[in-house]
Amino acid sequence: MSVVLSAVGFAACMSMIMATSATAATTLGASAAEKGRYFGAAVAANKLSDSVYTTILNREFNSVTPENEMKIDATEPQQNQFTYTNADRIVSHARSRGMQVRGHTLAWHSQQPGWMQNMSGTALRNAMLNHVTQVATHFRGQVVAWDVVNEAFADGSSGARRDSNLQRTGNDWIEAAFRAARAADSGAKLCYNDYNTDDWTHAKTQAVYRMVQDFKQRGVPIDCVGLQSHFNSGSPYPGNYRTTLSSFAALGVDVQITELDIEGASATTYRNVVNDCLAVSRCNGITVWGIRDSDSWRASQTPLLFDNSGNKKPAYDAALSALNSGNPPTNPPTTPPTNPPTNPPTTPPPGGPGSCSATVSLNSWTGGFVATVRVTAGSSGTNSWTVTLTLPSGATVSNAWNAQRSGNSGTVQWTNVSYNGHIAAGQSTEFGFQGTGSAAGMTPTCTAT
Ligand code: XIL
């Protein structure tokens, strides 16, 4: 009897070893997780009662993007009346099952509610910033990455911004949106998301690249770039896609494939996309834009991994086997710092008391402003610093980054935060704040230890 038992025990033990170490993962999410990545799907709240749909969702995916439910028309249908019911349903479905959530999207020219479409100028700028602040605050701690701004560049060869009511509030609307998002949720990765930015040689790709490079250089808080990657005969998967992913990553941001669908769902193209992402350590996840073909916004292109009945298509097998055969990441997945420094790291503290100087540059519009303050250390460097600024009457600070402040109007003192108190001799750091009213004519003073 005991011989029989131990034979059974041996077999059970062997099958456990097989299951944990030798068997390839059998779902997209599990396989991506083994590679330090996620595999997600766009989800519609009104499909969560469809059991074929939720069976696939719950089995295969470990990340979710609400397809429409977090857009501006859904979350703020009337100005200052926020509605989160459908978005919250998706978030709770996902999080209760251990899936992460991508937020989509805080600022966009499209799917604006009527009241916003009719706005312009300062009123629109402030409404947009309020929307970013309110929505990012509501989902704070629940959303891993936000598409803060969506589709802000024009198609074609111009490399210009897309004309929109938001763009007409001033070219700095994108960075203002990112700063407001960081102030509201310092834990979420903040992404710029766009389409037709897959081909490295395209003017639009290059224009987005230059914007991200500029943001990184100036300390605008950006952590990731989303490539929607809607591939079809008009904008096919490009052979240089991997170059695009790695070039963005080299700027010091994560890269995410955010809305993948491929007309005809070629297995080879799905495999190529997965392999390209796996080849770039900062490509940390892929989201397909729907589950079954019938769920797709482009259903007639049959671009997804499951057919209308929920059966796996050849593209599914190709994606899964590419994930399974890919190499584990050489670098652990990165998470954004909660308070990223705005400048390249300064050298260790020189020690001893120091002196400093400060200058302010202003980006103003009627009724509002963003101020960037540059703090430069004197000849002995600083261990800590305090900048004093007197705001003109009527000006009020609404949010700030990279410094702690006392008060929000009149004379305001700004002190360093933990990561930017030490400035080496002659080096600089920057902090900033956003406010209402006019901030013209401020003269900063700086003291340091
Ligand atoms: C699409 C949705 O899939 C549709 O249901 C909706 O009618 C329109 O928007 N780029 C984006 C997504 O960033 O939000 C879009 O989603 C597809 C293109």
Side-chain angles (χ1 to χ4, degrees), residues 67-68 71 104-105 108 111 150-151 193 195 228 230 259 289 297:
E67 186 175 359
N68 289 296
K71 292 174 181 174
H104 175 80
T105 175
W108 191 20
Q111 290 183 265
N150 199 31
E151 302 182 348
N193 193 53
Y195 68 93
Q228 293 184 9
H230 296 292
E259 304 183 13
W289 205 240
W297 69 313

Side-chain angles (χ1 to χ4, degrees), residues 240-253:
N240 57 25
Y241 190 58
R242 193 179 294 192
T243 301
T244 305
L245 298 175
S246 61
S247 300
F248 277 112
L251 291 175
V253 289

Side-chain angles (χ1 to χ4, degrees), residues 180-220:
R182 179 71 98 218
D185 183 354
S186 64
K189 291 186 187 188
L190 305 182
C191 306
Y192 176 78
N193 193 53
D194 214 327
Y195 68 93
N196 280 354
T197 46
D198 312 291
D199 187 319
W200 179 238
T201 65
H202 281 181
K204 188 171 173 181
T205 312
Q206 291 294 311
V208 172
Y209 176 85
R210 283 194 299 276
M211 178 187 75
V212 175
Q213 184 178 47
D214 170 57
F215 280 10
K216 293 299 286 183
Q217 282 169 356
R218 289 191 296 114
V220 177

Side-chain angles (χ1 to χ4, degrees), residues 41-58:
V43 164
N46 64 9
K47 291 182 180 154
L48 290 175
S49 52
D50 173 339
S51 65
V52 175
Y53 183 85
T54 52
T55 299
I56 303 171
L57 169 64
N58 299 347

Side-chain angles (χ1 to χ4, degrees), residues 428-449:
S428 301
T429 190
E430 280 184 354
F431 70 88
F433 56 99
Q434 180 181 327
T436 54
S438 163
M442 295 184 298
T443 312
T445 58
C446 190
T447 57
T449 63

